[in-house]
Amino acid sequence: MYGSSPASTSNPPVTLTPAGRLLVEHAQAVLEQLERASAALAAVRGGPYGPLRVGAFPSAARVLLPPALTRLAAAHPGLVPMISEIDPADVSAALRAGELDVALVHEYDFVPPVTDDSLETEPLFAETMYLTDRAGIAEASGDPWIAATPGTLCHTMTIRACQAAGFEPDVRHHIDDFDTVLAFAAAGQGVALVPRLAARTPPPGVRLTPLPIERRTLAAFRRGCGEHPAVRAAIAAFHQAINA
């Protein structure tokens, strides 16, 4: 209301009562059973077919999904993949809402997992993180930094990795696309942390130092639908693309 003090418009924190938590647990169990029933019915009807809504973070969408989709089309021509780029931080909500069927997410050292109890995950691969143009993170404490958009896992990972090295980074640029990050690094605009998937062909002049930090990629899906034929077909195609 106009004229109200800030204190009068603030909302108290919302916490579930014990009864509310019990209802949430039962609701999740019911939803899981419904997903299992749907997966069993789909398996009885035959091979996977129809729309398959896949979410992926940009580097996985660029490198991993094209060969995976080629294999998926050859093995299951009845499936119709529909791809959406999405940050892992937004995947849980999209899967719960039914906007996605399966998604590629990543986890970093220094950053807790973003998936919640309503989801299951299957590990796919792990990759080393690299630092551009420095021998170690501590050596870059006085440099300008290139980081992802605040609120993304990549941004959080960069901030926390620098904090673990004893300093707060001077973030000059916020860029989500790793190809652009590397181009900025090549132009001397700052240092950055990049995963192996995005650093396979660095531009001339960019030196990459491997770090004892990992990024792990997983397939995420709603709890109970891991045996759905379409989800299993997608995850199998992901594994084949990685191992090719």
Side-chain angles (χ1 to χ4, degrees), residues 14-154:
V14 177
T15 57
L16 286 174
T17 64
R21 287 194 293 271
L22 184 62
L23 285 174
V24 168
E25 291 174 3
H26 281 288
Q28 289 180 345
V30 170
L31 291 173
E32 180 176 349
Q33 289 304 315
L34 288 173
E35 292 289 357
R36 292 187 187 280
S38 176
L41 285 172
V44 169
R45 291 181 185 134
Y49 67 93
L52 174 67
R53 296 159 298 181
V54 180
F57 53 92
S59 55
R62 182 176 66 253
V63 178
L64 180 60
L65 282 188
L69 293 176
T70 299
R71 287 169 169 79
L72 200 60
H76 305 288
L79 272 179
V80 183
M82 303 166 67
I83 309 301
S84 298
E85 279 195 0
I86 185 171
D87 189 79
D90 300 321
V91 160
S92 290
L95 283 168
R96 285 197 308 269
E99 297 167 359
L100 297 174
D101 301 309
V102 62
L104 294 170
V105 299
H106 55 61
E107 298 177 352
Y108 286 107
D109 292 344
F110 303 117
V111 182
V114 293
T115 52
D116 58 35
D117 290 341
S118 68
L119 306 183
E120 294 181 271
T121 59
E122 182 171 324
L124 295 175
F125 65 97
E127 57 187 317
T128 298
M129 295 296 298
Y130 290 82
L131 175 67
T132 63
D133 300 318
R134 288 292 183 184
I137 293 179
E139 293 187 1
S141 60
D143 294 323
W145 278 77
I146 308 163
T149 302
T152 62
L153 291 189
C154 295

Side-chain angles (χ1 to χ4, degrees), residues 59 62-63 129-134 145-148 173-209:
S59 55
R62 182 176 66 253
V63 178
M129 295 296 298
Y130 290 82
L131 175 67
T132 63
D133 300 318
R134 288 292 183 184
W145 278 77
I146 308 163
H173 311 290
H174 292 102
I175 300 170
D176 292 322
D177 178 74
F178 281 117
D179 283 346
T180 308
V181 168
L182 289 170
F184 269 56
Q189 295 303 303
V191 298
L193 298 176
V194 295
R196 179 72 182 94
L197 197 65
R200 298 187 303 173
T201 54
V206 173
R207 177 169 60 94
L208 296 175
T209 301

Side-chain angles (χ1 to χ4, degrees), residues 207-220:
R207 177 169 60 94
L208 296 175
T209 301
L211 301 173
I213 304 173
E214 279 191 340
R215 183 173 82 166
R216 294 166 294 280
T217 295
L218 311 93

